[in-house]
Amino acid sequence: MRTAAARATRAAAILAAGALCLGVALAPAPGPSEASDAAAPWRGTEHAGAGLATDHDAIMAREIYPGHTLGELNYSPQEQEWALYQKPLGDAASVIETEFADDYAYCYFGESRTFTMGFAGDAPAGAIAVLDATGLPFTTVEGLGFSATEYQAATGAVSRQVIEALDEAGLRSTVGFTVESDPTIQPRAIVVSITGDDAASRQSGMAAVGTPSISAPFSVTVLEGGGMLSVATF
C-alpha cells in the first residue's frame, strides 16, 4: 500500500522537477539572430545509459523511495513510468543544479523518453557520473556560454523591455505577453509571445515590441500568441 509519506515525497518531487526542468511544448524554430551567430559553437552528446532490468520482478523490486519498492507503491502504469524514468532523472538534475550551479544551464524532458541537460562549458565529470548512475539515456549540450542564473537574468531583461515598449505605446490594457527561456526549440533561445483578444491588438503589440535586444549568446524570437495573457516568466 502506498504510504502517506511516499505520496508526500512524490508530490514534492514532481513540484521540484517542474520548477527545475523546462517544459517541452514545441514552437517553430526561430531564425538565427546576431546574438546566436556571434556565440561560441555548442556541442551535443548522446549518452546511452547503462540500462535497467526489464523483467517484471526486477522492475517491481526497484527502490523508488528509501525503503519503498515500486511493487509496494501500487502505482498506475502512468505513475510507474514517472517513477522509473522521470523521477530518477529529475532527482539527478536537482543534485547537479545544486552542486554544479556555475556549470548547469537547463534541463528538459522531451518525447519518447528523451532528457537533455545543458552546461555553460564542459560538463563536469561529477555531473555526468550523477546522470550515469540513473542507468537511463540522456543528452548533454555543452559549451553554451551561460549558466541557469544568467539565462534567467537574460529572460528578465527581455521581459522588462517588453513591458516598457507596451507601456510607451499605451497597450498594456489590451495586449498581454509571456517571456520564456525555451531551449527546446534552440539552445539559448528566449521566446516572447504577444497575446490579445483580437488579431489587431496582437499585431499592434508586436509592432510596439519589435525585437528586444539581448547580448550574446542569447537570441530572442517574438511570436503572435492567442487570447489575452499578461504573465512574464523570469
Side-chain angles (χ1 to χ4, degrees), residues 13-225:
I14 292 174
L15 292 174
L20 171 70
C21 295
L22 298 169
V24 297
L26 301 181
S33 67
E34 292 182 3
S36 59
D37 287 343
W42 52 270
R43 57 196 182 278
T45 305
E46 294 185 1
H47 303 256
L52 300 175
T54 56
D55 64 282
H56 181 267
D57 289 344
I59 291 173
M60 291 297 107
R62 188 172 178 84
E63 190 174 66
I64 305 303
Y65 303 105
H68 296 277
T69 65
L70 183 60
E72 294 172 330
L73 293 173
N74 192 31
Y75 276 173
S76 68
Q78 293 78 15
E79 289 174 318
Q80 288 183 17
E81 172 70 9
W82 172 86
L84 291 171
Y85 176 65
Q86 291 183 314
K87 182 182 184 298
L89 288 168
D91 289 346
S94 182
V95 170
I96 291 167
E97 183 185 28
T98 300
E99 296 187 2
F100 302 93
D102 292 338
D103 303 288
Y104 170 80
Y106 58 72
C107 69
Y108 60 88
F109 290 96
E111 298 178 352
S112 303
R113 287 192 171 189
T114 56
F115 178 79
T116 300
M117 179 171 287
F119 295 92
D122 294 339
I128 297 298
V130 171
L131 290 167
D132 278 338
T134 67
L136 296 164
F138 60 94
T139 298
T140 54
V141 180
E142 301 172 86
L144 291 167
F146 61 88
S147 66
T149 300
E150 292 166 325
Y151 205 175
Q152 184 179 36
T155 303
V158 170
S159 182
R160 288 188 289 275
Q161 291 181 58
V162 173
I163 291 171
E164 291 172 0
L166 294 178
D167 280 344
E168 184 175 346
L171 294 172
R172 286 291 298 280
S173 62
T174 57
V175 176
F177 68 96
T178 61
V179 181
E180 299 178 305
S181 55
D182 194 348
T184 67
I185 62 172
Q186 188 181 77
R188 308 163 171 155
I190 297 171
V191 178
V192 179
S193 179
I194 302 299
T195 61
D197 292 333
D198 57 76
S201 63
R202 294 192 295 270
Q203 290 164 11
S204 295
M206 292 185 71
V209 169
T211 301
S213 61
I214 194 68
S215 299
F218 304 104
S219 64
V220 180
T221 298
V222 180
L223 304 173
E224 182 177 348

